Amino acid sequence: MRIFDLRSDTVTHPTEEMRIAMANAEVGDDVFEEDPTINKLEAMAAERFGKEAAVYVASGTMANLASGLAHCQRGDEAIIGAESHIFQNEAGSLSALGGVHIRTVPNDNLGMMDPDEIEAAIRPDNIHQPRTALISLENTQNRCSGAVLDSVYTEQVASIAHSHDIALHIDGARIFNAAVALSVSVSDLVRTADTVSFCLSKGLSCPVGSLVCGTRDTINLVRRNRKLLGGGMRQAGIIAAAGIVALETMVDRLSEDHESARILAKGLASIPSLVINPEMIQTNIVIFDVKTGPIPELLSALKIKGVLASYTGGRGVRMVTHYGITPEDIEEILNIVEAVA
Ligand code: TLP
């Protein structure tokens, strides 16, 4: 039986070209910054994002944490979206390991925090209160159906942050999806950010890895934090080689995933027991509500027929399109969902 794994784009396997590049990668000791493949990947990332430097880390979670630790001291406060991955899905790492106080601001269904609410959440200079040191955005916004933040909004938030001497981080785990959806370059989307992280292991289909880009001084701090967190790697050019192939060959094709997601969302909208507005689907994440019945049972019934999806809380189910799912697969997936839902 064919399995359609829509739980995440993290389930993607490396391409044949990646496997060849990995087998043949030149390597060295990356803690000494002597791995030529990692050095090349970091230089490519910095250039692509229009930043001075970049550092390769193990995961998106480590990228956000090592960046957060570069911007915040213990007891500082970070303003973060209530639906953000950092707040919802990173095991409270910034608080647990960095002693950082988290202040959430609601995300609307387009993924945005209201700039006035962000500004109102910034602390005055007062010894009784934590010092606001960081504002973090997420692009695309995972839990808001992969909503895209454009550069106008990002620059608006950046100018609020910088006018208060606060750093702006972008969790850009899927920022290439945002750039492709908006037909802009990633550097346009992050011009005013102090750090941006992005993942190779999601829609770009690498087996592992993320990067953080920023100024040379900040990236030196992030590199130090990577070591602090036990994430210094040695001959990791073996895995970084896939990242080079990803940046060269896997970015433009993300539009196919967006097209599949749109077809999927339209089809789901026509199933009476499901609720979704297909107009809201901008990238590769499709989240819909199920009107009645227990969701775990629905997910099990789908799994028996070969469709894997995930639960997002409340009445929500998430399906993510990716390299392993073709637009033709979507028709079959919809037939299965219709039969089960
Ligand atoms: N997201 C995963 C799960 O953890 C939910 C997924 O399947 O979507 N930022 C964002 C916006 C993310 O979506 C994720 C992963 C991360 C950071 C963390 O990346 P990893 O899993 O590499 O630590």
Side-chain angles (χ1 to χ4, degrees):
M1 182 177 68
R2 169 88 196 272
I3 303 292
F4 301 104
D5 193 345
L6 299 164
R7 288 170 302 166
S8 183
D9 44 10
T10 59
V11 303
T12 43
H13 290 191
T15 63
E16 199 49 39
E17 199 180 340
M18 287 180 190
R19 288 176 186 272
I20 292 167
M22 290 164 82
N24 296 316
E26 254 191 276
V27 295
D29 190 321
D30 182 50
V31 173
F32 297 145
E33 298 184 40
E34 286 173 2
D35 185 301
T37 306
I38 293 188
N39 291 346
K40 179 172 172 189
L41 175 63
E42 290 177 344
M44 279 174 81
E47 210 241 316
R48 193 72 83 92
F49 282 78
K51 301 290 181 197
E52 278 174 17
V55 58
Y56 183 60
V57 300
S59 67
T61 301
M62 186 181 279
N64 287 331
L65 177 56
S67 304
L69 295 177
H71 297 302
C72 302
Q73 303 299 312
R74 295 186 76 77
D76 284 351
E77 189 163 78
I79 298 175
I80 294 181
E83 298 304 324
S84 67
H85 194 273
I86 294 179
F87 183 62
Q88 297 280 353
N89 291 99
E90 298 187 7
S93 56
L94 206 45
S95 305
L97 302 181
V100 177
H101 205 243
I102 302 292
R103 178 89 174 259
T104 57
V105 167
N107 294 101
D108 64 18
N109 59 5
L110 290 172
M112 287 184 262
M113 295 183 269
D114 181 334
D116 291 339
E117 287 187 45
I118 294 177
E119 189 144 30
I122 295 172
R123 303 281 188 170
D125 183 10
N126 179 323
I127 56 157
H128 298 88
Q129 300 192 20
R131 188 180 70 96
T132 309
L134 176 65
I135 297 172
S136 181
L137 295 176
E138 183 177 309
N139 198 6
T140 65
Q141 183 77 42
N142 186 343
R143 288 170 60 87
C144 302
S145 297
V148 160
L149 305 180
D150 66 17
S151 55
V152 174
Y153 173 76
T154 304
E155 283 172 24
Q156 194 181 355
V157 175
S159 78
I160 293 170
H162 294 153
S163 68
H164 293 269
D165 214 10
I166 294 169
L168 176 69
H169 172 70
I170 298 178
D171 173 355
R174 296 186 179 82
I175 199 152
F176 281 107
N177 293 83
V180 165
L182 292 166
S183 300
V184 298
S185 64
V186 279
S187 61
D188 280 346
L189 290 179
V190 304
R191 201 174 305 286
T192 45
D194 298 283
T195 46
V196 53
S197 56
F198 73 96
C199 292
L200 295 165
S201 59
K202 301 196 165 58
L204 300 183
S205 304
C206 291
V208 65
S210 291
L211 286 109
V212 182
C213 309
T215 62
R216 191 163 304 283
D217 285 350
T218 309
I219 293 306
N220 286 342
L221 274 176
V222 176
R223 190 181 292 281
R224 187 179 174 79
N225 292 335
R226 181 185 71 169
K227 187 77 181 98
L228 174 81
L229 296 170
M233 295 180 278
R234 302 297 177 176
Q235 288 72 33
I238 291 281
I239 46 176
I244 294 172
V245 176
L247 291 182
E248 282 168 348
T249 68
M250 298 297 281
V251 171
D252 292 342
R253 64 149 306 283
L254 292 172
S255 59
E256 292 167 26
D257 301 343
H258 300 174
E259 180 58 15
S260 297
R262 269 192 294 274
I263 301 169
L264 178 64
K266 270 198 195 143
L268 293 170
S270 70
I271 300 175
S273 56
L274 308 180
V275 185
I276 180 171
N277 176 359
E279 303 291 311
M280 299 302 286
I281 305 306
Q282 302 173 43
T283 57
N284 68 329
I285 299 181
V286 177
I287 297 178
F288 55 93
D289 274 0
V290 182
K291 282 186 195 158
T292 53
I295 310 261
E297 280 175 27
L298 173 70
L299 293 182
S300 302
L302 285 172
K303 187 174 177 183
I304 289 167
K305 302 227 176 241
V307 173
L308 306 184
S310 47
Y311 177 52
T312 60
R315 305 294 309 161
V317 170
R318 185 181 83 153
M319 293 182 169
V320 184
T321 56
H322 53 73
Y323 185 53
I325 302 287
T326 64
E328 297 75 57
D329 293 338
I330 299 294
E331 202 177 320
E332 212 172 318
I333 291 164
L334 282 168
N335 288 337
I336 294 171
V337 179
E338 191 160 21
V340 167

